[in-house]
Amino acid sequence: MEDFGVYAIFGVDEPPQQILRRDGWQSSVEIQPSVQLMVLFSRGDWGKRDSISVELADERDIPINMGKLTPFNKCLSWEAGEDGVWSCGATLTVKLSGGTSDFLDPVLTVSQMECTPECNSTAPVLRECPGKRKWSQGEEEEEEEEINEGRGKENICPNASQKATPHRRGKNNGRGGQTRLFSQKEEQTTTSSAQSHKAKGKQAKTPSQTAPLDKPSGRWGQTLCPIDPQTAILIGGQGSRMQFCKDPIWKLCTEDLSWVPAETLAEGPTPEARIGHTATYDPESKRIFVFGGSKHKKWFNDVHILDTQSWRWTLVEAQGKVPPLAYHSCSMFRGELFVFGGVFPRPHPEPDGCSDSIYIFNPDMAIWYQPIVNGEKPAPRSGHSACVMQGRIFVFGGWDTPVCFNDMFMLDLGLMEFSAVKTSGTAPSPRSWHGCAVLSDCNFLIHGGYNGNNALSDTFIFNTDTSCWSSLLLPQLNSFPRAGHSIITMPITWRKGSIDEEEDLPESAPQTLLVFGGGDNEGSFFSDLYTMPVEELRRD
């Protein structure tokens, strides 16, 4: 096979240009303002190479877009409509980030052109903002205003609000109406332990997040999906400076709480980087279904399937219609996916509009359809939680500008009928982007979230038999507010020879609560992994 190379096409009428040769490891290209489309692809034998990282950087050398070429994902593309309008000063860089090479040509510069995507890494204004965002101070604030003036609105991280009453934003916020996604702390490096969260806020700025080799980088908006009693799969997420994570897929071994980077472990087309998606595991077919989400101005309604037996990704060519959605919920029941709510992309008749519809995906027939649903439907919302218990889906909380919810609805999956749940006890305050996990046949847990002004740290348990809320004090978990995090339950697994081996509980019951990631609305993005035996929660 011919020698390996990475090529780029700048515009539909331009021929491919080779930008990384067989013996190279890094290349930088500047792009003309007239470029409206870019396509990168590899050709030839990858050999021992694992992946090629791709970055777009603005005139200050701050990365504004990222992706990877791998032996199983050999093409990346950008369009002006989805990731910005090219203007001036940006650079495209490709770099060998795995495997081996001859390293004979350390840097290859192709041409001297100019470009800058509209989507700037520092603070593009996104469209799903629950409240006003925080401003930075001094000259940096003025700089951000100039950069973001006239930019489009997109989806927004929940951890980003000024402490003020949430409001619906107009279509054209002029200069002075633009706000930063985070405060000055947004540039800090993410922390890996609870004790260091606040200390990290004092660190110097870093132009991009750097992922440790032994665990995921700090992030929010990801999914963490259990696939067996010892393994969970982490997919997607976004970290500091609104950068989509360079390390989007990880495998968690719960036996020793170790992480393994897994982006190149599976064959087939991996899902494009995204946040606000769902990843749902079907224990019968042993497959993970990834649906929806967003990436800058690009919104998805695709379905990617990861077969955990063959470790192969498949992009489904589904029939039927489902709108592009982000921050929706997705529940598996009898082999079908039930998608509820979520926020629509622009353009859409309703600014920041959310869905109140149910869409069902049947994997066997690869078809989407809408069921007839009766009863009292929940108001449109996004960022809510949903869990399946005893043939019912319980929907809690969420957001639809300018309202944040703390109501509860139940969908009877036999009758396909919604009903409002009248609850008692100490209910959680209104919130979205909280964590939710099923603890038993009749209990589920709610933790953290975002109320339009602040990230939250409180914890509650709901009993579906009594319809009663109870608050829970967990000092380690309640000490640090977070939203956009992941919460799952998994069986306890002890390492062979553990002194606690005799105390091992039945493998069939979920025994351990795991909490990963999220953000605190103060610029920190977490990569810590918190665990607690579920039995302790039940005793409380």
Side-chain angles (χ1 to χ4, degrees):
M1 184 177 290
E2 63 186 283
D3 287 344
F4 175 83
V6 175
Y7 299 80
I9 300 175
F10 303 105
V12 295
D13 298 324
E14 298 297 322
Q17 300 181 29
Q18 186 171 13
I19 61 173
L20 189 68
R21 304 182 187 279
R22 178 188 63 81
D23 52 1
W25 70 276
Q26 178 172 310
S27 173
S28 297
V29 183
E30 296 180 11
I31 306 156
Q32 292 181 350
S34 59
V35 171
Q36 297 294 300
L37 171 70
M38 293 195 301
V39 178
L40 261 73
F41 63 93
S42 68
R43 187 177 181 183
D45 184 6
W46 274 73
K48 297 181 180 180
R49 301 171 182 87
D50 291 333
S51 61
I52 301 289
S53 65
V54 181
E55 293 183 359
L56 290 172
D58 65 11
E59 64 275 9
R60 294 173 298 172
D61 293 329
I62 298 176
I64 56 181
N65 202 348
M66 301 178 185
K68 276 189 177 181
L69 297 173
T70 72
F72 310 110
N73 186 25
K74 300 180 181 180
C75 182
L76 293 171
S77 65
W78 293 268
E79 294 183 39
E82 70 180 48
D83 283 326
V85 177
W86 313 114
S87 55
C88 60
T91 303
L92 172 69
T93 300
V94 295
K95 179 168 58 176
L96 182 69
S97 57
T100 60
S101 176
D102 294 334
F103 295 99
L104 298 179
D105 187 6
V107 178
L108 175 63
T109 301
V110 176
S111 61
Q112 298 296 323
M113 299 181 283
E114 295 182 350
C115 121
T116 280
E118 168 198 295
C119 179
N120 191 282
S121 65
T122 48
V125 179
L126 302 185
R127 64 172 298 272
E128 194 201 330
C129 180
K132 297 180 180 179
R133 303 175 194 61
K134 292 187 176 182
W135 287 90
S136 61
Q137 302 295 325
E139 296 179 358
E140 188 172 0
E141 175 180 344
E142 296 178 359
E143 180 182 17
E144 296 299 333
E145 288 182 6
E146 293 178 1
I147 293 173
N148 289 309
E149 183 177 359
R151 301 286 165 86
K153 284 72 177 176
E154 309 168 21
N155 53 295
I156 189 165
C157 169
N159 315 321
S161 273
Q162 177 178 329
K163 296 182 179 180
T165 303
H167 68 291
R168 185 179 294 275
R169 191 177 56 250
K171 290 185 178 180
N172 296 306
N173 285 347
R175 182 173 177 178
Q178 303 290 351
T179 52
R180 297 191 63 190
L181 182 66
F182 289 94
S183 62
Q184 286 181 319
K185 292 183 183 179
E186 71 179 336
E187 293 85 3
Q188 71 189 47
T189 304
T190 55
T191 180
S192 60
S193 63
Q195 289 78 7
S196 63
H197 286 164
K198 293 184 178 180
K200 289 288 183 179
K202 300 179 181 180
Q203 290 185 355
K205 298 179 183 179
T206 56
S208 63
Q209 63 202 50
T210 56
L213 297 177
D214 59 346
K215 68 177 181 180
S217 57
R219 67 191 67 197
W220 81 278
Q222 72 287 336
T223 55
L224 187 61
C225 185
I227 62 172
D228 61 45
Q230 292 82 34
T231 312
I233 303 298
L234 174 68
I235 300 175
Q238 188 182 64
S240 62
R241 289 191 152 302
M242 298 177 62
Q243 294 303 296
F244 288 88
C245 299
K246 289 185 176 181
D247 52 336
I249 303 178
W250 287 78
K251 181 186 291 189
L252 171 66
C253 176
T254 58
E255 188 174 10
D256 57 1
L257 298 182
S258 62
W259 292 96
V260 177
E263 184 177 8
T264 60
L265 293 184
E267 297 182 352
T270 57
E272 190 173 344
R274 63 190 68 194
I275 55 174
H277 56 286
T278 51
T280 311
Y281 180 66
D282 178 15
E284 296 297 324
S285 63
K286 299 188 184 304
R287 296 182 295 176
I288 296 176
F289 296 84
V290 178
F291 169 71
S294 64
K295 175 188 177 185
H296 301 311
K297 293 182 180 180
K298 186 173 184 177
W299 295 64
F300 302 96
N301 63 347
D302 51 2
V303 178
H304 290 260
I305 299 178
L306 175 60
D307 189 318
T308 62
Q309 299 295 294
S310 64
W311 283 104
R312 183 173 184 84
W313 284 102
T314 303
L315 175 61
V316 179
E317 296 182 4
Q319 299 180 353
K321 293 184 179 181
V322 62
L325 292 169
Y327 315 109
H328 51 279
S329 62
C330 185
S331 307
M332 175 69 70
F333 181 70
R334 294 181 177 175
E336 293 186 314
L337 300 177
F338 288 70
V339 172
F340 171 73
V343 66
F344 297 114
R346 289 178 182 268
H348 189 270
E350 293 294 328
D352 299 312
C354 291
S355 170
D356 62 353
S357 299
I358 292 280
Y359 295 89
I360 298 179
F361 178 70
N362 184 301
D364 293 334
M365 301 181 66
I367 188 171
W368 285 98
Y369 67 95
Q370 278 191 272
I372 297 174
V373 181
N374 300 310
E376 182 182 358
K377 293 175 62 177
R381 64 192 64 204
S382 63
H384 55 284
S385 60
C387 55
V388 180
M389 304 179 69
Q390 300 176 340
R392 300 169 292 176
I393 297 179
F394 289 85
V395 176
F396 170 76
W399 183 277
D400 186 21
T401 306
V403 180
C404 198
F405 302 101
N406 69 337
D407 51 5
M408 177 88 71
F409 284 82
M410 179 190 71
L411 175 63
D412 188 310
L413 294 172
L415 302 174
M416 287 308 295
E417 184 176 60
F418 263 119
S419 60
V421 179
K422 295 181 179 180
T423 67
S424 60
T426 305
S429 59
R431 66 193 62 204
S432 60
W433 295 286
H434 47 277
C436 177
V438 175
L439 303 181
S440 68
D441 290 340
C442 62
N443 289 290
F444 66 84
L445 175 143
I446 295 292
H447 168 70
Y450 177 70
N451 66 7
N453 293 320
N454 304 296
L456 305 172
S457 62
D458 46 5
T459 307
F460 300 84
I461 291 180
F462 184 75
N463 187 298
T464 59
D465 290 344
T466 63
S467 296
C468 182
W469 285 105
S470 58
S471 60
L472 194 63
L473 181 61
L474 302 174
Q476 288 179 285
L477 194 58
N478 296 151
S479 299
F480 299 97
R482 67 182 74 206
H485 50 298
S486 301
I487 299 183
I488 59 174
T489 52
M490 297 184 70
I492 288 179
T493 55
W494 302 105
R495 284 176 289 184
K496 189 175 182 180
S498 168
I499 59 175
D500 297 322
E501 195 168 7
E502 296 179 358
E503 300 178 21
D504 195 6
L505 298 173
E507 293 184 357
S508 59
Q511 305 290 345
T512 305
L513 182 78
L514 296 94
V515 181
F516 170 79
D520 67 353
N521 193 41
E522 297 295 332
S524 294
F525 294 85
F526 307 140
S527 60
D528 55 351
L529 184 65
Y530 172 88
T531 65
M532 168 174 265
V534 170
E535 287 299 313
E536 294 188 15
L537 303 177
R538 292 172 179 168
R539 284 199 297 269
D540 290 340

